Amino acid sequence: QSLNENASGSRTGALVPPPILEKLEKIDVNPPKGTRDFPPEEMRLRSWIFHNFREVSRLFGFEEVDYPVLESEALFIRKAGEEIRDQLYSFEDRGNRRVALRPELTPSLARVVIQKGKSVSLPLKWFAIGQCWRYERMTRGRRREHYQWNMDIIGVPGVMAEAELISSIVTFFKRLGITSSDVGFKVSSRKVLQEVLQCYSIPEHLFGKVCVIIDKMEKIPLEEIKTELGSAGVSEKAIVDLLQVMSVKSLSELEEKLGSAGDAIVELKQLFSLADKFGYSEWIQFDASVVRGLAYYTGVVFEGFDREGKLRAICGGGRYDKLLSTFGGDDIPACGFGFGDAVIVELLKEKGLMPELNLQVENIVCPLDQELQGAAATIATILREKGQSVDLVLENKPLKWVFKRAARINASRLILVGNSEWQKGMVKVKVLATGEQYEIELNQLE
Ligand SMILES: CC(=O)Nc1cnc2ccccc2c1
């Protein structure tokens, strides 16, 4: 039935109102559990943070990339007992495929690097800002999504890569007014654990699992750690050694324990020396207890923390030299970090560093009566073509309303299109900050 036919098919000329939709009871206007809307005020803060992520990425010569939020579940199936695995937001799609909303970005990066194969020349420096998901029983009321800034360097085996990555995060913090008295980085290397375990012939495929268990050290009772390590096949003696090395307080103490020749010590010393050259020594400290909870890290690991100890880790990352080969790719070294959009906001609030972000519009253009709507549209277009922002009043409104709106949107000036002025090709301009008022020819407007 076309719009101007009534039920019996005759054309009445007037539009026949469509049948009234059954009255819906009000829909739930809230977003799904654990997710957020970004109305203008929240979106301004998010855009400001993301702008700083992007600016730092640009300063470091990184290229922006992105991947589907939806990935094959297989990308994230790791048998290392990770929390990120327990909370995978996965399901079967209509094609009976097992898919998942990505809980992190690194596996997607690995997939694409392998896909690109020889067609990309190393090193790659890629960054992404992507929404990541987890499915938690809402018992804990935590969020099920967050945005993560990721920076990754692919194809560089030396710790210059890690030093560069930490430098980029320091740069980000400094841009936001955060100093090394507010935050620091705990830095260690999983090669410390590897060197302890190598004299216990722990099968390599268990290394990730052991690290994930040890990462829970401060979160669950020591006895449980020992039990979990035992059931993972780590002997009592090995456990004692592991726990001992985890409580080492300094690099020199670690050197006494492990000797000076092992990779762990050599690399960490290099990293601390490079930190000095980058100028961020006061931001980092060795901390043997840093392991991070992702199974695929193989070398240096680090995490940003607030020195008051009130907040969860701000960001974290490390070297993952084996990830690409576990996906069937070549043995390509890689390292990177993730920086979530939640803790940083808590930190900014704590430090009184939240930015004042208001909508800014340069012009509000208002026709003084209906016939001048066309003229107002022409003026708006001319200003916009000059790169000026214009809020064009779209309906016939009293001046009181226009001034109120001008104030709300923080317009710099009000352009009134009146009949008598327009006859002379003029418009009336009111500078809202000063109240200054003048008439001006249209082509004089800049
Ligand atoms: C503080 C916070 O929102 N964390 C958070 C929120 N959502 C996630 C989603 C996936 C993976 C990690 C996540 C972590």
Side-chain angles (χ1 to χ4, degrees), residues 84 102-103 132-134 143-146 148 312 341-343 346:
I84 207 163
R102 65 190 178 194
C132 296
W133 294 81
R134 66 184 173 193
R143 288 195 351 224
R144 284 186 176 159
E145 54 76 27
H146 74 161
Q148 258 193 36
R312 297 175 305 288
D341 68 349
V343 181
E346 292 170 46

Side-chain angles (χ1 to χ4, degrees), residues 92-280:
E92 191 148 311
D93 73 9
R94 292 176 186 276
N96 297 87
R97 283 178 218 80
R98 291 296 306 168
V99 289
L101 296 180
R102 65 190 178 194
E104 55 166 333
L105 299 172
T106 311
S108 300
L109 174 141
R111 174 176 64 73
V112 172
V113 172
I114 295 169
Q115 174 201 128
K116 295 282 176 200
K118 307 273 181 279
S119 71
V120 285
S121 55
L122 301 177
L124 294 173
K125 299 178 185 178
W126 287 358
F127 86 92
I129 304 173
Q131 192 175 37
C132 296
W133 294 81
R134 66 184 173 193
Y135 190 87
E136 271 203 323
R137 301 275 160 250
M138 278 323 266
T139 43
R140 297 173 58 172
R142 292 201 305 174
R143 288 195 351 224
R144 284 186 176 159
E145 54 76 27
H146 74 161
Y147 283 83
Q148 258 193 36
W149 173 41
N150 275 217
M151 295 264 275
D152 291 88
I153 298 176
I154 302 99
V156 175
V159 294
M160 265 296 265
E162 286 91 326
E164 177 84 330
L165 290 174
I166 294 172
S167 177
S168 71
I169 309 174
V170 168
T171 304
F172 174 77
F173 281 134
K174 288 163 94 167
R175 284 176 67 94
L176 272 58
I178 293 162
T179 70
S180 57
S181 346
D182 301 319
V183 306
F185 292 88
K186 295 173 185 169
V187 180
S188 183
S189 173
R190 286 199 172 171
K191 290 185 179 176
V192 170
L193 298 176
Q194 207 171 18
E195 284 170 28
V196 169
L197 288 174
Q198 70 192 15
C199 33
Y200 293 97
S201 61
I202 303 276
E204 188 169 324
H205 73 275
L206 280 181
F207 182 64
K209 183 176 209 170
V210 168
C211 291
V212 169
I213 295 168
I214 291 179
D215 177 61
K216 293 187 280 191
M217 187 91 81
E218 271 120 36
K219 296 154 204 160
I220 62 177
L222 189 58
E223 277 321 300
E224 232 182 282
I225 297 285
K226 291 181 177 174
T227 314
E228 287 192 31
L229 286 173
S231 53
V234 184
S235 70
E236 274 294 319
K237 177 86 180 60
I239 292 172
V240 166
D241 276 6
L242 279 178
L243 300 180
Q244 228 178 38
V245 89
M246 297 297 296
S247 48
V248 155
K249 289 293 167 234
S250 71
L251 256 187
S252 41
E253 192 189 335
L254 187 70
E255 193 166 4
E256 279 159 34
K257 231 176 173 37
L258 297 181
S260 319
D263 287 356
I265 289 293
V266 167
E267 288 172 5
L268 285 168
K269 284 172 131 179
Q270 278 172 345
L271 184 57
F272 277 84
S273 154
L274 288 168
D276 177 52
K277 301 291 182 285
F278 272 102
Y280 62 72

Side-chain angles (χ1 to χ4, degrees), residues 2-4 7 18 27 39 68 114 125 129 181 191 220 232 277 323 333 346 348-349 368 373 413 418 443 446:
S2 81
L3 271 183
N4 66 353
I27 55 155
I114 295 169
K125 299 178 185 178
I129 304 173
S181 346
K191 290 185 179 176
I220 62 177
K277 301 291 182 285
L323 184 62
E346 292 170 46
L348 290 171
K349 284 176 181 164
L368 284 181
Q373 277 190 335
R413 65 183 186 182
N443 51 32
E446 84 297 313

Side-chain angles (χ1 to χ4, degrees), residues 397-412:
K397 293 285 184 184
L399 260 187
K400 195 164 162 304
W401 181 94
V402 177
F403 276 97
K404 199 155 167 272
R405 179 173 174 82
R408 191 180 69 73
I409 65 175
N410 263 328
S412 306

